[in-house]
Amino acid sequence: QLQLQESGPRLVKPSETLSLTCTVPSDSIFSMSYYWGWIRQPPGKGLEWIGSVYYSGTTLFNSSLKSRVSIFIDTSKNQFSLRLNSLTVADTAVYYCARQRWMGNNWFDSWGQGTLVTVSS
Amino acid sequence: SYVLTQPPSVSVAPGETARITCGGSNIGSKSVHWYQQKPGQAPVLVIYYDSDRASGIPERFSGSHSGNTATLTISRVEVGDEADYYCQVWDSTTFHALFGGGTKLTV
């Protein structure tokens, strides 16, 4: 398993923008076999896919969040990042980054430990 | 939008067999993947492509797929298997990853 690591602020205010970064510990970020994804989990609730990015910069988004989300990749730093704007308290969640195996029917085979982001004034 | 349905909870005694289901319209046309999440931890891939075990996962864990239901089976359940389990599919029509609501396994 790849050890992914999320970083970013733990507390953000409503209406502001959340920025999180995931560091990939090797050059596997260049692999054509993987996308790199973000998934979140509100406290006590289930998992929700946010979106994913390919090493080329191609992105896929959950349509329910698409208007507020951007994901981009920096292969020179082995990092990919999430930006979620117009935050509300409903965006409070543990945010995970994960490696997404891209083989037609795609799954997440390595996950970061997750970071709890609280949206509060 | 596509919905995956899991029972909220399953309870078994140690040594018994646990079966956790995942239902969805025409799910037979999709591959189903399963994750285990213990309290305070990140999810861990258990089964991919319906029935392939992920690296390091005991043989007690198996997956199957029939009709509109996919099933995660855990044989000879141990106390350490107590966790939330999530199914997941990739919808190639909408290019979305979808998760079931999760099932809490109590041992």
Side-chain angles (χ1 to χ4, degrees):
Chain A
Q1 274 216 5
L2 210 60
Q3 296 298 320
L4 306 178
Q5 181 65 58
E6 304 92 349
S7 59
R10 304 299 198 262
L11 179 65
V12 289
K13 291 182 168 53
S15 80
E16 292 189 344
T17 296
L18 168 66
S19 295
L20 294 175
T21 296
C22 183
T23 299
V24 179
S26 72
D27 287 344
S28 62
I29 202 166
F30 291 98
S31 173
M32 291 187 289
S33 299
Y34 300 102
Y35 267 66
W36 303 91
W38 289 96
I39 298 104
R40 71 179 182 177
Q41 185 173 36
K45 296 188 178 181
L47 301 168
E48 179 182 35
W49 173 70
I50 299 171
S52 302
V53 63
Y54 198 46
Y55 79 96
S56 63
T58 299
T59 50
L60 300 167
F61 297 115
N62 187 325
S63 57
S64 68
L65 296 168
K66 187 174 184 177
S67 63
R68 300 196 291 131
V69 173
S70 58
I71 298 176
F72 48 95
I73 194 164
D74 186 341
T75 54
S76 68
K77 296 182 179 178
N78 287 343
Q79 292 178 336
F80 62 104
S81 300
L82 167 72
R83 288 175 61 89
L84 180 65
N85 60 34
S86 304
L87 293 172
T88 71
V89 294
D91 294 311
T92 294
V94 176
Y95 286 76
Y96 296 99
C97 61
R99 187 176 72 175
Q100 185 177 8
R101 189 75 168 95
W102 195 255
M103 288 187 66
N105 289 287
N106 311 306
W107 63 91
F108 301 94
D109 65 359
S110 293
W111 296 63
Q113 65 185 18
T115 185
L116 175 61
V117 176
T118 302
V119 180
S120 174
S121 54
Chain B
S1 61
Y2 196 80
V3 176
L4 295 174
T5 301
Q6 297 184 237
S9 62
V10 168
S11 181
V12 296
E16 292 187 342
T17 297
R19 294 179 179 85
I20 298 171
T21 58
C22 177
S25 175
N26 199 30
I27 197 173
S29 66
K30 306 180 188 303
S31 288
V32 180
H33 320 297
W34 291 93
Y35 304 85
Q36 176 194 69
Q37 185 180 33
K38 295 183 178 180
Q41 297 184 19
V44 172
L45 178 68
V46 176
I47 297 287
Y48 62 99
Y49 264 139
D50 297 330
S51 59
D52 290 342
R53 268 186 309 278
S55 175
I57 300 301
E59 291 184 5
R60 301 185 296 105
F61 289 79
S62 62
S64 61
H65 204 165
S66 178
N68 280 336
T69 303
T71 302
L72 173 68
T73 302
I74 309 172
S75 304
R76 302 180 300 283
V77 169
E78 302 175 357
V79 172
D81 298 331
E82 195 163 271
D84 293 326
Y85 291 84
Y86 293 90
C87 60
Q88 179 247 315
V89 300
W90 178 257
D91 187 334
S92 57
T93 300
T94 61
F95 279 78
H96 274 53
L98 300 164
F99 290 93
T103 298
K104 180 176 181 60
L105 175 65
T106 300
V107 181

